[in-house]
Amino acid sequence: EELLESEMFGHERGAFTGATASRIGRFKLADGGTIFLDEIGEMSPKLQVKLLRVLEDGRFEPVGSVTTQQVDVRIVAATNRSLEEAVAARQFREDLFYRLRVVPIEMPPLRRRHEDVPLLVAHFARKHASRTGRSTPPLFTDDALSHLQSLPWRGNVRELENVVERVLVLCPASRVTAGDVRALRAASPLEAAITG
């Protein structure tokens, strides 16, 4: 918690063990711009209070400091859990929830938008081709794409990216079939545990 607070708001030298120099936090660095907070639903109650203050009046104190800093920052926040349920369970502050929820955008999970799978596969194949020693990405055949579209994707887009990267690393062919994908997914102990 202390390290996350320091990352967000900075700290003064000696504020905690290992703080050998003062450090500017992400909010100060983003002053006049936008800051993205991922997995906001996992934030501790103490940090929720401090974030609420920044949202309300743009003020905060770095860890170990008594000097208040002022920032003008737009916040974009994301979470993979229902904040409404977290508020009801008293795990997330209701006032912070409503301060953050100015323009809510729901991104449905990949399992509810199978039509995106071919575009994402092509993107991830291009992205990881050179990293995996390929001059060009392989072609995923129609049956491979159909198979990928039929999967539940519990790990969402990150899981799909990992599968595509695994295929590029372990399948040297220039064409990837559904059989290749099935074989590589079955070869993963984690996949076997999840689907088994």
Side-chain angles (χ1 to χ4, degrees):
E1 180 179 288
E2 195 171 71
L3 291 175
L4 181 56
E5 184 178 1
S6 169
E7 184 70 24
M8 290 171 60
F9 303 110
H11 64 259
E12 292 297 317
R13 181 177 181 219
F16 52 86
T17 304
T20 57
S22 295
R23 181 168 185 233
I24 297 173
R26 299 292 176 177
F27 271 87
K28 193 65 176 174
L29 291 171
D31 192 15
T34 302
I35 189 167
F36 174 64
L37 301 176
D38 198 8
E39 300 300 345
I40 192 88
E42 306 303 320
M43 187 175 282
S44 72
K46 177 184 172 187
L47 283 177
Q48 289 180 37
V49 171
K50 204 158 184 179
L51 179 59
L52 181 61
R53 182 175 179 213
V54 174
L55 284 167
E56 288 178 347
D57 62 16
R59 297 174 189 266
F60 67 90
E61 288 83 31
V63 178
S65 176
V66 293
T67 305
T68 300
Q69 295 188 9
Q70 179 85 33
V71 291
D72 178 16
V73 177
R74 175 179 40 238
I75 296 175
V76 176
T79 183
N80 65 0
R81 62 188 290 208
S82 167
L83 289 184
E84 291 93 340
E85 291 174 12
V87 167
R90 300 189 161 293
Q91 297 168 344
F92 197 83
R93 293 182 61 99
E94 186 174 22
D95 48 1
L96 178 57
F97 171 74
Y98 286 112
R99 291 288 295 171
L100 286 170
R101 195 182 169 107
V102 176
V103 181
I105 300 170
E106 182 184 344
M107 177 61 75
L110 188 57
R111 66 183 165 275
R112 290 196 354 231
R113 48 190 179 98
H114 294 286
E115 67 279 2
D116 289 351
V117 169
L119 293 171
L120 290 166
V121 167
H123 167 72
F124 293 137
R126 284 190 305 272
K127 176 182 174 182
H128 294 293
S130 63
R131 284 190 52 234
T132 56
R134 293 174 178 260
S135 57
T136 59
L139 169 71
F140 282 73
T141 62
D142 289 343
D143 70 320
L145 292 174
S146 293
H147 175 66
L148 290 169
Q149 286 177 297
S150 73
L151 298 173
W153 299 116
R154 290 178 191 89
N156 217 341
V157 175
R158 289 184 185 117
E159 182 186 3
L160 176 62
E161 181 174 10
N162 289 342
V163 167
V164 172
E165 187 175 11
R166 186 182 317 144
V167 166
L168 268 66
V169 169
L170 299 175
C171 180
S174 60
R175 288 172 42 92
V176 177
T177 67
D180 296 326
V181 174
R182 280 189 200 96
L184 291 173
R185 288 187 80 239
S188 167
L190 180 59
E191 289 289 344
I194 290 172
T195 59

